[in-house]
Amino acid sequence: MEDDVPPQPANRRLSMLAVLGLTGAGDNDWARLRGLQYSGLSALTFFRTYIHAIMGLFTVQIYSSSISLIWLAFWWVALVLLQIRGVRFDRTLADAEYRKLSRKEFYGQALTPLLSGVLWAVPILVFAPYGSLPDLMTLLVVVATLAAASIYFYAAAPLGIFVFTLTVGVAAVTHLALQGLWTVALAGTFYGISCLFGTIEVARTYLTARIAESSVAEKEQVVSLLLREFEENEADWLWEVDTARRLRGVSPRFAYALGCPQAEAERRPLLELIAGDTWESGKFPTSLHDLAERLKHCENFSNLLVHVTIRGEKRWWELSGTPMRDDQNRFVGFRGVGSDVTEARASSEKIAYLARYDTLTSLPNRLQLTEALGDALVFAEQWRTRCALLMVDLDRFKAVNDSAWPYGR
């Protein structure tokens, strides 16, 4: 019974057993790695059938003069039918990345290359003794080509490549040794060992890349979920425009802030929707001009207060935005976050007014007088001019103010 082992860190080198799928790691980790490998087989399986069929025809042509065509045809048909079985099986693994791959499927996939190795051992061990030495050398070139092509084009299934290469390699070296071709047998042994190690290294590189891609995809999904949760649980909303400053990917919350359905807002210019009646006249508020300039010059902006008009109602938005660029550093639009701060701004303005004006008379209070006097003194000192303070004394005004204050409040 296997123990569950946590996945290896991304910066650790995958072992040979992990690459081949023979590691004793826990089921979850094993299924994840195999799913990352085998999900790409469906796009390559036809190529395997094609190359085996073509190389099989070459083999038939090589031994057509020394072996009965019936046996050659029987061998070639068996080879093609086996590859067709492999095509059908591999296509069932197209979604392996998103589900738990079973060990039965894992070994079922390896069965096709194993039997392919057995079938390719037949010409080496059975057909070759009836042919000439050049025929044998040509056959070995065909088999070597199959092994090399499998390594470079079928790295998603390293166990299958491994057993295929091992099977045909043992058959080739055995036949060469029986024929007394020791030098060629030794060269074939080194070639087979190189192919086996090459299978591991190429498959390790492929699997490492697939793990990295999967990690990036998972991070993107997490970010998407966080953004969706942000929009659902917060008052803020996300916005995005293309290079022509037209809205795209309008969320329900943003559409609600715009006061129109999502379909109506999609592909519409952002400034047109938030300018209201001023769009036709072109007499925008200063804050809208500022927003337009930043969008035009692809500048970052943060917490920019914009005076907008939504369905004829004056509102205040706080927008932040960042220009987006593709892999070639080309500008592709803006993305940002925004919120309606109308109520907060109104409260802030009311607080500022109450801090500087008397609530009974609506006249400037001592704080505003002090600020105005300070500004006047600074101006006079900067421009070497003068300023004056005029004081008016109203008799018994304090008594009137004190008696009326509770009612005025």
Side-chain angles (χ1 to χ4, degrees):
M1 185 172 183
E2 297 176 350
D3 297 328
D4 286 340
V5 177
Q8 295 183 352
N11 59 347
R12 290 189 58 184
R13 182 180 175 86
L14 292 168
S15 66
M16 182 181 73
L17 293 179
V19 172
L20 291 176
L22 302 177
T23 180
D27 288 340
N28 291 334
D29 187 29
W30 182 90
R32 173 176 176 266
L33 293 178
R34 303 293 77 76
L36 292 175
Q37 284 179 312
Y38 287 1
S39 60
L41 289 179
S42 59
L44 304 171
T45 187
F46 177 78
F47 173 79
R48 182 183 64 184
T49 302
Y50 174 79
I51 192 68
H52 275 273
I54 295 299
M55 291 301 177
L57 289 177
F58 284 153
T59 303
V60 170
Q61 193 276 332
I62 293 171
Y63 291 102
S64 60
S65 60
S66 55
I67 302 294
S68 172
L69 288 178
I70 296 177
W71 289 108
L72 291 173
F74 179 80
W75 172 83
W76 185 83
V77 170
L79 181 66
V80 172
L81 290 177
L82 179 62
Q83 303 311 314
I84 293 175
R85 181 264 179 193
V87 169
R88 298 179 62 182
F89 192 92
D90 288 351
R91 287 179 177 174
T92 64
L93 305 177
D95 60 343
E97 184 177 357
Y98 308 103
R99 62 178 177 86
K100 189 173 182 179
L101 187 75
S102 68
R103 294 185 181 272
K104 181 179 179 181
E105 290 177 312
F106 172 69
Y107 291 114
Q109 197 284 327
L111 182 62
T112 298
L114 174 61
L115 295 179
S116 295
V118 173
L119 284 177
W120 276 104
V122 171
I124 298 174
L125 298 175
V126 179
F127 299 165
Y130 296 94
S132 63
L133 182 60
D135 292 341
L136 175 61
M137 295 298 104
T138 305
L139 175 62
L140 293 179
V141 170
V142 168
V143 173
T145 302
L146 279 173
S150 299
I151 294 172
Y152 291 106
F153 295 101
Y154 217 64
L159 181 61
I161 304 172
F162 195 91
V163 297
F164 172 80
T165 303
L166 185 63
T167 302
V168 297
V170 169
V173 171
T174 301
H175 179 75
L176 291 171
L178 292 176
Q179 297 296 318
L181 302 172
W182 295 104
T183 303
V184 182
L186 183 61
T189 301
F190 282 114
Y191 179 81
I193 294 174
S194 300
C195 287
L196 294 179
F197 279 102
T199 298
I200 301 301
E201 290 304 317
V202 173
R204 180 183 283 121
T205 302
Y206 173 82
L207 182 55
T208 302
R210 293 289 293 124
I211 292 174
E213 291 175 1
S214 177
S215 299
V216 171
E218 289 177 359
K219 290 179 180 179
E220 290 179 349
Q221 291 177 358
V222 171
V223 171
S224 299
L225 289 174
L226 291 175
L227 291 176
R228 188 179 301 115
E229 182 179 357
F230 168 80
E231 281 217 322
E232 291 175 353
N233 299 322
E234 297 291 340
D236 295 0
W237 24 261
L238 303 174
W239 60 273
E240 185 176 332
V241 296
D242 57 17
T243 55
R245 297 184 285 280
R246 295 188 299 263
L247 290 172
R248 62 186 179 192
V250 179
S251 65
R253 188 179 294 277
F254 188 33
Y256 178 79
L258 291 169
C260 61
Q262 288 179 261
E264 182 180 334
E266 194 74 28
R267 311 303 299 173
R268 291 274 302 278
L270 173 62
L271 293 178
E272 178 184 351
L273 289 175
I274 64 178
D277 298 336
T278 62
W279 176 256
E280 298 296 335
S281 62
K283 298 179 180 179
F284 303 154
T286 304
S287 59
L288 271 181
H289 277 292
D290 190 13
L291 174 62
E293 287 298 315
R294 292 174 185 266
L295 293 176
K296 179 180 179 181
H297 295 97
C298 305
E299 298 177 0
N300 287 304
F301 56 92
S302 178
N303 301 326
L304 179 65
L305 282 175
V306 181
H307 196 189
V308 302
T309 303
I310 305 298
R311 299 295 187 185
E313 181 182 1
K314 304 296 182 180
R315 310 288 297 179
W316 283 96
W317 284 3
E318 187 176 76
L319 299 176
S320 299
T322 303
M324 300 183 297
R325 300 187 181 278
D326 59 14
D327 296 338
Q328 299 180 359
N329 201 35
R330 293 177 300 188
F331 173 69
V332 294
F334 260 90
R335 177 181 293 159
V337 64
S339 59
D340 192 316
V341 295
T342 305
E343 302 300 330
R345 183 176 176 82
S347 299
S348 178
E349 291 178 347
K350 184 176 181 179
I351 292 173
Y353 177 83
L354 293 176
R356 289 169 174 78
Y357 289 88
D358 182 76
T359 56
L360 177 62
T361 62
S362 297
L363 295 175
N365 60 13
R366 186 176 302 174
L367 175 60
Q368 185 168 355
L369 174 63
T370 303
E371 291 178 348
L373 182 59
D375 292 341
L377 291 174
V378 171
F379 182 84
E381 181 180 2
Q382 180 180 0
W383 298 101
R384 299 182 181 279
T385 182
R386 298 179 179 180
C387 64
L389 173 64
L390 176 63
M391 301 183 63
V392 179
D393 185 21
L394 299 179
D395 293 338
R396 297 185 297 278
F397 179 77
K398 184 178 184 304
V400 174
N401 188 37
D402 291 343
S403 61
W405 179 84
Y407 304 100
R409 175 68 69 177

